[in-house]
Every structure is written in C-alpha cells, then in structure tokens.
Amino acid sequence: MKLPIYIVDAFTNTQFKGNSAAVVLLDTWLDDGVMQSIAIENNLSETAFISIKGHNAYDIRWFSPITEIDFCGHATLAASFVLFEYYQVTGEIQFSTDKVGDLFISRQPTGFIEMKFPNQEPEPVLDIPSELLAGLSKKPIEVLKNRQAYFAIFETEEDVTSLQYESEALKSLAPLDVVVTATGDKYDFVSRYFWPANGGDEDPVTGSIHSGLTPYWSKKLNKTELKAYQASFRGGELFCSIVGEQVLVSGQAVVYLTGTIDI
C-alpha cells in the first residue's frame, strides 16, 4: 500500500519556520499502532491522518511521536493547506473529531487559512500545583487552566522569552500541558508551549492553545481581533479573533516535502 504524505510548515510563509506537520491521506483507517508508528518515524510535532467522509467533509486524527492528541491546530492548518493546494478543494472544509467536535476551515482571498475553533477559555486556578512552579524559572503573576493546559501569565514579553523550564517537573502535570504568555511588544500577545508528557519539550507553534489564549487576551485587552506570536526557536504568527462563541485562528503555510509511504 502506498499512502500520499505531505510535510508542511504551518503558521509561516517561509520554509524551516513555523511548525512542521505531516499529513497522510487515507481511504480507510489504519490500525492505531500503525498510525502511531508512522508518527514516531516522522518525528514531527504531529502527523495528521485524514479520511474522506463526503463532499468537503473529512475525519481527522492527530498523533505526536508519543501519543494520539485530542486537538491540534497547526496540523489542521497543514491538512487544509494540502487539500486546498493539491486536491483542488474549494469552499469550506469540515473536519470531524472525537474530542472537540467539528472544525470548519476556509481559505481567504489573501491566501490565509482560517480555522473555526471551539472557545476553550481558561479558568483561574486557586491551588497552583507545586510542580508547575518548580518547572518554571520565574513565578507567574496568574495561573489558569482549561481542558488542554495550564496557563502561566507573566508581565512582559521578556519574561516569556527568557524563561527556562524543567521538563521532568512539567511532565508530572500530565495530561495537561503548560503555556506561558504575556502581552507583546510588537504583537498583542506572545506565548511559548511546553508539552513533555504528550509530544516533546517545547512546541514550535501551537494553534489549538490559541482557542484559550484568544478569549483570555481578548478580555484583558478589550479587543476582538488580535495578532499573536509564538516565541519558539522557529517562531510563528497567528491572527486570532472572537466571533460569537467561536475562536477564529488564521495563518499561512508552505509545503516542505511531498512523497509516499510504503506500508
């Protein structure tokens, strides 16, 4: 069996920036163990597997090199880019997921890909885990959490970019990951994302966490449209907005590699 595979840099228009994801198109689902093995072999933040359901409708699943992931934004953007760019899909794409419902994706006239995500606004944490504080080199001014991660809030962009982390301490917070964030100098807000229990030490750009960051900063900054930057080594730009009960996250993508997998 030969499976088409694409490697895409998401949330950037420049190769070797943003966050890389592999996209594998399937006629029928493979065994979970095989999909996990493919993700391990790819050794990227995520491998997205998509299977067609109907016109512009697909099932999607995401695997890190460690485990299946409930929700991944950058690999969703990458999968959408592949469908728009290589399969002549037009109009709105619907991705069905097990954990976060249906995701609706469209390509804007500017070329940006816009993803409609559920609003996953975090809530304040009163009893801050000691492992979280031990895992970060600076103490946050506020801590919140949602179903995905702890949100450690800092005063300045410098606090975020200079912060050091201890993976083993943060790993003990599983199944939750950790995002650190502050208002930005050139952007409305910046962030970094650590997920040693689920994928790796630091994720280059994490689309899904912006379903929580956007409502948080929207209220803090009294803005419904925000420009964000994930300040990893590779870095990535995200354009975020609140529309009703949904969070819209937009970005660009560029293909790095196309090929096939022999199974």
Side-chain angles (χ1 to χ4, degrees):
M1 182 187 302
K2 290 184 179 292
L3 302 174
I5 182 170
Y6 303 80
I7 298 178
V8 177
D9 292 333
F11 292 116
T12 182
N13 60 0
T14 305
Q15 282 187 345
F16 316 121
K17 297 293 184 181
N19 198 356
S20 295
V23 179
V24 180
L25 279 72
L26 303 173
D27 292 325
T28 58
W29 290 113
L30 303 172
D31 179 81
D32 285 7
V34 174
M35 290 190 287
Q36 185 64 70
S37 293
I38 292 172
I40 292 170
E41 188 79 5
N42 288 336
N43 198 30
L44 300 170
S45 293
E46 259 89 20
T47 296
F49 296 89
I50 58 175
S51 177
I52 190 166
K53 294 176 61 178
H55 177 67
N56 282 21
Y58 303 82
D59 288 316
I60 187 168
R61 295 173 68 182
W62 309 279
F63 287 77
S64 81
I66 294 176
T67 187
E68 185 170 5
I69 300 298
D70 287 351
F71 179 26
C72 178
H74 87 277
T76 301
L77 190 153
S80 304
F81 176 82
V82 167
L83 293 173
F84 289 132
E85 194 76 9
Y86 292 95
Y87 292 84
Q88 293 74 52
V89 172
T90 59
E92 188 173 65
I93 294 171
Q94 177 181 339
F95 284 124
S96 296
T97 79
D98 287 339
K99 302 297 185 182
V100 292
D102 291 339
L103 308 176
F104 295 92
I105 321 296
S106 59
R107 195 174 201 175
Q108 304 303 302
T110 58
F112 279 72
I113 293 174
E114 181 182 87
M115 302 179 288
K116 295 178 181 177
F117 288 162
N119 186 319
Q120 298 195 123
E121 183 176 359
E123 298 182 350
V125 173
L126 299 180
D127 187 13
I128 301 172
S130 59
E131 296 86 353
L132 176 63
L133 298 178
L136 302 176
S137 62
K138 297 178 182 178
K139 185 177 180 179
I141 59 174
E142 184 181 11
V143 175
L144 305 93
K145 74 173 180 178
N146 66 8
R147 64 182 300 276
Q148 181 175 348
Y150 285 99
F151 291 62
I153 313 300
F154 291 89
E155 290 185 355
T156 68
E157 180 173 329
E158 170 65 20
D159 288 337
V160 169
T161 57
S162 64
L163 182 138
Q164 302 295 312
Y165 62 95
E166 173 51 55
S167 288
E168 287 304 313
L170 298 183
K171 185 182 290 186
S172 65
L173 298 170
L176 297 182
D177 301 321
V178 176
V179 62
V180 297
T181 184
T183 53
D185 299 331
K186 296 181 180 179
Y187 296 86
D188 291 303
F189 66 89
V190 299
S191 66
R192 293 171 64 194
Y193 192 84
F194 311 122
W195 62 323
N198 293 304
D201 286 342
E202 180 170 359
D203 196 37
V205 192
T206 314
S208 59
I209 199 61
H210 286 75
S211 65
L213 288 168
T214 301
Y216 174 83
W217 286 115
S218 176
K219 289 183 177 180
K220 287 290 185 180
L221 301 176
N222 195 27
K223 300 176 67 173
T224 57
E225 296 186 358
L226 303 101
K227 188 175 181 181
Y229 183 72
Q230 193 153 329
S232 67
F233 173 74
R234 289 172 64 102
E237 285 188 334
L238 307 93
F239 297 84
C240 311
S241 60
I242 300 286
V243 178
E245 296 299 316
Q246 290 185 312
V247 175
L248 273 55
V249 178
S250 302
Q252 296 176 285
V254 59
V255 71
Y256 168 68
L257 181 69
T258 65
T260 58
I261 303 172
D262 292 327
I263 298 295

